[in-house]
PDB file of all heavy atoms in Angstrom:
ATOM      1  N   ASN A 395       0.807  -1.215   0.000  1.00 93.00           N
ATOM      2  CA  ASN A 395       0.000   0.000   0.000  1.00 93.00           C
ATOM      3  C   ASN A 395       0.842   1.268   0.000  1.00 93.00           C
ATOM      4  O   ASN A 395       0.308   2.373  -0.183  1.00 93.00           O
ATOM      5  CB  ASN A 395      -0.934   0.009   1.217  1.00 93.00           C
ATOM      6  CG  ASN A 395      -1.942  -1.110   1.173  1.00 93.00           C
ATOM      7  OD1 ASN A 395      -2.496  -1.415   0.123  1.00 93.00           O
ATOM      8  ND2 ASN A 395      -2.170  -1.772   2.300  1.00 93.00           N
ATOM      9  N   VAL A 396       2.146   1.143   0.219  1.00 94.00           N
ATOM     10  CA  VAL A 396       3.067   2.274   0.104  1.00 94.00           C
ATOM     11  C   VAL A 396       3.806   2.205  -1.225  1.00 94.00           C
ATOM     12  O   VAL A 396       4.033   3.220  -1.885  1.00 94.00           O
ATOM     13  CB  VAL A 396       4.064   2.300   1.280  1.00 94.00           C
ATOM     14  CG1 VAL A 396       4.921   3.563   1.218  1.00 94.00           C
ATOM     15  CG2 VAL A 396       3.337   2.210   2.613  1.00 94.00           C
ATOM     16  N   PHE A 397       4.170   1.002  -1.628  1.00 96.00           N
ATOM     17  CA  PHE A 397       4.865   0.788  -2.896  1.00 96.00           C
ATOM     18  C   PHE A 397       4.067   1.337  -4.071  1.00 96.00           C
ATOM     19  O   PHE A 397       4.586   2.071  -4.910  1.00 96.00           O
ATOM     20  CB  PHE A 397       5.135  -0.714  -3.063  1.00 96.00           C
ATOM     21  CG  PHE A 397       5.378  -1.162  -4.476  1.00 96.00           C
ATOM     22  CD1 PHE A 397       6.500  -0.726  -5.177  1.00 96.00           C
ATOM     23  CD2 PHE A 397       4.504  -2.035  -5.111  1.00 96.00           C
ATOM     24  CE1 PHE A 397       6.733  -1.148  -6.480  1.00 96.00           C
ATOM     25  CE2 PHE A 397       4.734  -2.464  -6.401  1.00 96.00           C
ATOM     26  CZ  PHE A 397       5.847  -2.016  -7.099  1.00 96.00           C
ATOM     27  N   ALA A 398       2.790   0.989  -4.149  1.00 96.00           N
ATOM     28  CA  ALA A 398       1.977   1.370  -5.308  1.00 96.00           C
ATOM     29  C   ALA A 398       1.824   2.887  -5.465  1.00 96.00           C
ATOM     30  O   ALA A 398       2.043   3.423  -6.556  1.00 96.00           O
ATOM     31  CB  ALA A 398       0.622   0.681  -5.249  1.00 96.00           C
ATOM     32  N   PRO A 399       1.468   3.632  -4.405  1.00 96.00           N
ATOM     33  CA  PRO A 399       1.358   5.090  -4.570  1.00 96.00           C
ATOM     34  C   PRO A 399       2.676   5.753  -4.958  1.00 96.00           C
ATOM     35  O   PRO A 399       2.670   6.803  -5.606  1.00 96.00           O
ATOM     36  CB  PRO A 399       0.889   5.566  -3.187  1.00 96.00           C
ATOM     37  CG  PRO A 399       0.184   4.384  -2.605  1.00 96.00           C
ATOM     38  CD  PRO A 399       0.952   3.195  -3.090  1.00 96.00           C
ATOM     39  N   PHE A 400       3.804   5.147  -4.552  1.00 97.00           N
ATOM     40  CA  PHE A 400       5.114   5.694  -4.918  1.00 97.00           C
ATOM     41  C   PHE A 400       5.293   5.757  -6.433  1.00 97.00           C
ATOM     42  O   PHE A 400       5.987   6.641  -6.951  1.00 97.00           O
ATOM     43  CB  PHE A 400       6.207   4.830  -4.286  1.00 97.00           C
ATOM     44  CG  PHE A 400       7.610   5.236  -4.652  1.00 97.00           C
ATOM     45  CD1 PHE A 400       8.231   6.295  -4.012  1.00 97.00           C
ATOM     46  CD2 PHE A 400       8.317   4.559  -5.640  1.00 97.00           C
ATOM     47  CE1 PHE A 400       9.526   6.678  -4.350  1.00 97.00           C
ATOM     48  CE2 PHE A 400       9.607   4.930  -5.985  1.00 97.00           C
ATOM     49  CZ  PHE A 400      10.209   5.994  -5.339  1.00 97.00           C
ATOM     50  N   LEU A 401       4.666   4.851  -7.168  1.00 97.00           N
ATOM     51  CA  LEU A 401       4.838   4.769  -8.617  1.00 97.00           C
ATOM     52  C   LEU A 401       4.011   5.793  -9.388  1.00 97.00           C
ATOM     53  O   LEU A 401       4.234   5.991 -10.590  1.00 97.00           O
ATOM     54  CB  LEU A 401       4.445   3.367  -9.109  1.00 97.00           C
ATOM     55  CG  LEU A 401       5.139   2.162  -8.462  1.00 97.00           C
ATOM     56  CD1 LEU A 401       4.621   0.872  -9.081  1.00 97.00           C
ATOM     57  CD2 LEU A 401       6.657   2.259  -8.607  1.00 97.00           C
ATOM     58  N   ILE A 402       3.082   6.459  -8.737  1.00 97.00           N
ATOM     59  CA  ILE A 402       2.082   7.229  -9.471  1.00 97.00           C
ATOM     60  C   ILE A 402       2.608   8.559 -10.013  1.00 97.00           C
ATOM     61  O   ILE A 402       2.298   8.932 -11.156  1.00 97.00           O
ATOM     62  CB  ILE A 402       0.834   7.425  -8.593  1.00 97.00           C
ATOM     63  CG1 ILE A 402       0.171   6.061  -8.345  1.00 97.00           C
ATOM     64  CG2 ILE A 402      -0.157   8.390  -9.246  1.00 97.00           C
ATOM     65  CD1 ILE A 402      -1.004   6.089  -7.401  1.00 97.00           C
ATOM     66  N   LEU A 403       3.433   9.283  -9.259  1.00 98.00           N
ATOM     67  CA  LEU A 403       3.920  10.581  -9.750  1.00 98.00           C
ATOM     68  C   LEU A 403       4.684  10.453 -11.069  1.00 98.00           C
ATOM     69  O   LEU A 403       4.366  11.175 -12.033  1.00 98.00           O
ATOM     70  CB  LEU A 403       4.775  11.275  -8.685  1.00 98.00           C
ATOM     71  CG  LEU A 403       5.368  12.625  -9.110  1.00 98.00           C
ATOM     72  CD1 LEU A 403       4.272  13.625  -9.440  1.00 98.00           C
ATOM     73  CD2 LEU A 403       6.286  13.179  -8.022  1.00 98.00           C
ATOM     74  N   PRO A 404       5.683   9.581 -11.194  1.00 98.00           N
ATOM     75  CA  PRO A 404       6.359   9.470 -12.502  1.00 98.00           C
ATOM     76  C   PRO A 404       5.434   8.980 -13.604  1.00 98.00           C
ATOM     77  O   PRO A 404       5.622   9.335 -14.777  1.00 98.00           O
ATOM     78  CB  PRO A 404       7.502   8.482 -12.227  1.00 98.00           C
ATOM     79  CG  PRO A 404       7.131   7.765 -10.987  1.00 98.00           C
ATOM     80  CD  PRO A 404       6.327   8.728 -10.179  1.00 98.00           C
ATOM     81  N   ALA A 405       4.425   8.184 -13.248  1.00 97.00           N
ATOM     82  CA  ALA A 405       3.457   7.744 -14.252  1.00 97.00           C
ATOM     83  C   ALA A 405       2.681   8.932 -14.807  1.00 97.00           C
ATOM     84  O   ALA A 405       2.385   8.988 -16.011  1.00 97.00           O
ATOM     85  CB  ALA A 405       2.497   6.722 -13.649  1.00 97.00           C
ATOM     86  N   MET A 406       2.353   9.907 -13.958  1.00 97.00           N
ATOM     87  CA  MET A 406       1.603  11.076 -14.432  1.00 97.00           C
ATOM     88  C   MET A 406       2.468  11.978 -15.310  1.00 97.00           C
ATOM     89  O   MET A 406       1.982  12.555 -16.294  1.00 97.00           O
ATOM     90  CB  MET A 406       1.053  11.877 -13.234  1.00 97.00           C
ATOM     91  CG  MET A 406       0.032  11.116 -12.397  1.00 97.00           C
ATOM     92  SD  MET A 406      -1.318  10.392 -13.362  1.00 97.00           S
ATOM     93  CE  MET A 406      -0.874   8.650 -13.340  1.00 97.00           C
ATOM     94  N   PHE A 407       3.745  12.112 -14.992  1.00 97.00           N
ATOM     95  CA  PHE A 407       4.636  12.871 -15.875  1.00 97.00           C
ATOM     96  C   PHE A 407       4.781  12.157 -17.218  1.00 97.00           C
ATOM     97  O   PHE A 407       4.835  12.799 -18.271  1.00 97.00           O
ATOM     98  CB  PHE A 407       5.999  13.080 -15.212  1.00 97.00           C
ATOM     99  CG  PHE A 407       6.069  14.301 -14.351  1.00 97.00           C
ATOM    100  CD1 PHE A 407       5.888  14.216 -12.983  1.00 97.00           C
ATOM    101  CD2 PHE A 407       6.316  15.552 -14.905  1.00 97.00           C
ATOM    102  CE1 PHE A 407       5.946  15.344 -12.181  1.00 97.00           C
ATOM    103  CE2 PHE A 407       6.375  16.686 -14.113  1.00 97.00           C
ATOM    104  CZ  PHE A 407       6.186  16.593 -12.749  1.00 97.00           C
ATOM    105  N   ALA A 408       4.842  10.817 -17.187  1.00 96.00           N
ATOM    106  CA  ALA A 408       4.920  10.056 -18.436  1.00 96.00           C
ATOM    107  C   ALA A 408       3.646  10.235 -19.254  1.00 96.00           C
ATOM    108  O   ALA A 408       3.699  10.419 -20.480  1.00 96.00           O
ATOM    109  CB  ALA A 408       5.160   8.581 -18.128  1.00 96.00           C
ATOM    110  N   LEU A 409       2.498  10.205 -18.591  1.00 95.00           N
ATOM    111  CA  LEU A 409       1.230  10.378 -19.286  1.00 95.00           C
ATOM    112  C   LEU A 409       1.164  11.751 -19.956  1.00 95.00           C
ATOM    113  O   LEU A 409       0.692  11.876 -21.099  1.00 95.00           O
ATOM    114  CB  LEU A 409       0.068  10.208 -18.305  1.00 95.00           C
ATOM    115  CG  LEU A 409      -1.338  10.462 -18.868  1.00 95.00           C
ATOM    116  CD1 LEU A 409      -1.635   9.524 -20.030  1.00 95.00           C
ATOM    117  CD2 LEU A 409      -2.388  10.307 -17.761  1.00 95.00           C
ATOM    118  N   GLN A 410       1.624  12.771 -19.275  1.00 94.00           N
ATOM    119  CA  GLN A 410       1.609  14.115 -19.852  1.00 94.00           C
ATOM    120  C   GLN A 410       2.470  14.173 -21.113  1.00 94.00           C
ATOM    121  O   GLN A 410       2.098  14.809 -22.114  1.00 94.00           O
ATOM    122  CB  GLN A 410       2.114  15.139 -18.828  1.00 94.00           C
ATOM    123  CG  GLN A 410       2.082  16.569 -19.337  1.00 94.00           C
ATOM    124  CD  GLN A 410       2.403  17.581 -18.265  1.00 94.00           C
ATOM    125  OE1 GLN A 410       1.537  18.328 -17.810  1.00 94.00           O
ATOM    126  NE2 GLN A 410       3.646  17.614 -17.846  1.00 94.00           N
ATOM    127  N   ARG A 411       3.603  13.495 -21.104  1.00 93.00           N
ATOM    128  CA  ARG A 411       4.467  13.462 -22.287  1.00 93.00           C
ATOM    129  C   ARG A 411       3.785  12.706 -23.428  1.00 93.00           C
ATOM    130  O   ARG A 411       3.915  13.084 -24.595  1.00 93.00           O
ATOM    131  CB  ARG A 411       5.808  12.812 -21.939  1.00 93.00           C
ATOM    132  CG  ARG A 411       6.670  13.651 -21.020  1.00 93.00           C
ATOM    133  CD  ARG A 411       7.984  12.958 -20.690  1.00 93.00           C
ATOM    134  NE  ARG A 411       8.842  12.846 -21.857  1.00 93.00           N
ATOM    135  CZ  ARG A 411       9.646  13.797 -22.301  1.00 93.00           C
ATOM    136  NH1 ARG A 411       9.716  14.961 -21.664  1.00 93.00           N
ATOM    137  NH2 ARG A 411      10.396  13.604 -23.365  1.00 93.00           N
ATOM    138  N   VAL A 412       3.086  11.652 -23.094  1.00 91.00           N
ATOM    139  CA  VAL A 412       2.342  10.910 -24.125  1.00 91.00           C
ATOM    140  C   VAL A 412       1.321  11.820 -24.797  1.00 91.00           C
ATOM    141  O   VAL A 412       1.140  11.798 -26.026  1.00 91.00           O
ATOM    142  CB  VAL A 412       1.640   9.682 -23.514  1.00 91.00           C
ATOM    143  CG1 VAL A 412       0.687   9.042 -24.518  1.00 91.00           C
ATOM    144  CG2 VAL A 412       2.660   8.656 -23.041  1.00 91.00           C
ATOM    145  N   LEU A 413       0.658  12.646 -24.016  1.00 90.00           N
ATOM    146  CA  LEU A 413      -0.409  13.495 -24.530  1.00 90.00           C
ATOM    147  C   LEU A 413       0.095  14.659 -25.382  1.00 90.00           C
ATOM    148  O   LEU A 413      -0.587  15.102 -26.297  1.00 90.00           O
ATOM    149  CB  LEU A 413      -1.241  14.049 -23.371  1.00 90.00           C
ATOM    150  CG  LEU A 413      -1.992  13.014 -22.519  1.00 90.00           C
ATOM    151  CD1 LEU A 413      -2.634  13.686 -21.319  1.00 90.00           C
ATOM    152  CD2 LEU A 413      -3.033  12.277 -23.348  1.00 90.00           C
ATOM    153  N   LEU A 414       1.302  15.149 -25.079  1.00 88.00           N
ATOM    154  CA  LEU A 414       1.762  16.385 -25.717  1.00 88.00           C
ATOM    155  C   LEU A 414       2.910  16.208 -26.702  1.00 88.00           C
ATOM    156  O   LEU A 414       3.203  17.126 -27.471  1.00 88.00           O
ATOM    157  CB  LEU A 414       2.176  17.402 -24.643  1.00 88.00           C
ATOM    158  CG  LEU A 414       1.038  17.920 -23.747  1.00 88.00           C
ATOM    159  CD1 LEU A 414       1.581  18.834 -22.660  1.00 88.00           C
ATOM    160  CD2 LEU A 414      -0.009  18.654 -24.577  1.00 88.00           C
ATOM    161  N   LEU A 415       3.590  15.067 -26.662  1.00 87.00           N
ATOM    162  CA  LEU A 415       4.723  14.858 -27.559  1.00 87.00           C
ATOM    163  C   LEU A 415       4.364  13.869 -28.663  1.00 87.00           C
ATOM    164  O   LEU A 415       3.312  13.226 -28.632  1.00 87.00           O
ATOM    165  CB  LEU A 415       5.938  14.351 -26.766  1.00 87.00           C
ATOM    166  CG  LEU A 415       6.500  15.314 -25.722  1.00 87.00           C
ATOM    167  CD1 LEU A 415       7.703  14.695 -25.028  1.00 87.00           C
ATOM    168  CD2 LEU A 415       6.881  16.654 -26.333  1.00 87.00           C
ATOM    169  N   ARG A 416       5.264  13.746 -29.621  1.00 85.00           N
ATOM    170  CA  ARG A 416       5.046  12.821 -30.725  1.00 85.00           C
ATOM    171  C   ARG A 416       6.309  12.005 -30.971  1.00 85.00           C
ATOM    172  O   ARG A 416       7.386  12.339 -30.494  1.00 85.00           O
ATOM    173  CB  ARG A 416       4.678  13.586 -32.002  1.00 85.00           C
ATOM    174  CG  ARG A 416       3.401  14.395 -31.864  1.00 85.00           C
ATOM    175  CD  ARG A 416       3.014  15.061 -33.164  1.00 85.00           C
ATOM    176  NE  ARG A 416       1.794  15.849 -33.008  1.00 85.00           N
ATOM    177  CZ  ARG A 416       1.153  16.433 -34.007  1.00 85.00           C
ATOM    178  NH1 ARG A 416       1.624  16.324 -35.241  1.00 85.00           N
ATOM    179  NH2 ARG A 416       0.044  17.128 -33.790  1.00 85.00           N
ATOM    180  N   GLY A 417       6.162  10.929 -31.729  1.00 87.00           N
ATOM    181  CA  GLY A 417       7.315  10.119 -32.098  1.00 87.00           C
ATOM    182  C   GLY A 417       7.843   9.294 -30.940  1.00 87.00           C
ATOM    183  O   GLY A 417       7.103   8.913 -30.022  1.00 87.00           O
ATOM    184  N   TRP A 418       9.156   9.028 -30.991  1.00 90.00           N
ATOM    185  CA  TRP A 418       9.770   8.167 -29.982  1.00 90.00           C
ATOM    186  C   TRP A 418       9.629   8.666 -28.552  1.00 90.00           C
ATOM    187  O   TRP A 418       9.422   7.862 -27.641  1.00 90.00           O
ATOM    188  CB  TRP A 418      11.245   7.941 -30.323  1.00 90.00           C
ATOM    189  CG  TRP A 418      11.429   6.902 -31.390  1.00 90.00           C
ATOM    190  CD1 TRP A 418      11.812   7.091 -32.688  1.00 90.00           C
ATOM    191  CD2 TRP A 418      11.196   5.495 -31.246  1.00 90.00           C
ATOM    192  NE1 TRP A 418      11.826   5.901 -33.359  1.00 90.00           N
ATOM    193  CE2 TRP A 418      11.464   4.897 -32.509  1.00 90.00           C
ATOM    194  CE3 TRP A 418      10.784   4.681 -30.189  1.00 90.00           C
ATOM    195  CZ2 TRP A 418      11.340   3.537 -32.727  1.00 90.00           C
ATOM    196  CZ3 TRP A 418      10.659   3.322 -30.396  1.00 90.00           C
ATOM    197  CH2 TRP A 418      10.930   2.759 -31.650  1.00 90.00           C
ATOM    198  N   PRO A 419       9.757   9.979 -28.284  1.00 91.00           N
ATOM    199  CA  PRO A 419       9.555  10.436 -26.898  1.00 91.00           C
ATOM    200  C   PRO A 419       8.192  10.030 -26.335  1.00 91.00           C
ATOM    201  O   PRO A 419       8.089   9.614 -25.179  1.00 91.00           O
ATOM    202  CB  PRO A 419       9.689  11.960 -27.001  1.00 91.00           C
ATOM    203  CG  PRO A 419      10.579  12.165 -28.181  1.00 91.00           C
ATOM    204  CD  PRO A 419      10.191  11.098 -29.159  1.00 91.00           C
ATOM    205  N   ALA A 420       7.138  10.132 -27.163  1.00 90.00           N
ATOM    206  CA  ALA A 420       5.804   9.739 -26.701  1.00 90.00           C
ATOM    207  C   ALA A 420       5.704   8.230 -26.526  1.00 90.00           C
ATOM    208  O   ALA A 420       5.073   7.737 -25.583  1.00 90.00           O
ATOM    209  CB  ALA A 420       4.750  10.222 -27.692  1.00 90.00           C
ATOM    210  N   ILE A 421       6.338   7.463 -27.421  1.00 92.00           N
ATOM    211  CA  ILE A 421       6.300   5.997 -27.334  1.00 92.00           C
ATOM    212  C   ILE A 421       7.023   5.516 -26.077  1.00 92.00           C
ATOM    213  O   ILE A 421       6.532   4.646 -25.344  1.00 92.00           O
ATOM    214  CB  ILE A 421       6.922   5.372 -28.594  1.00 92.00           C
ATOM    215  CG1 ILE A 421       6.045   5.670 -29.812  1.00 92.00           C
ATOM    216  CG2 ILE A 421       7.100   3.864 -28.418  1.00 92.00           C
ATOM    217  CD1 ILE A 421       6.666   5.272 -31.127  1.00 92.00           C
TER     218      ILE A 421
END
């Protein structure tokens, strides 16, 4: 229950890059 929430912040930064970038950076 501590491990899982730790993963969420970098996942949200990754999601933002997926939404706004193109090509290999988004992939």
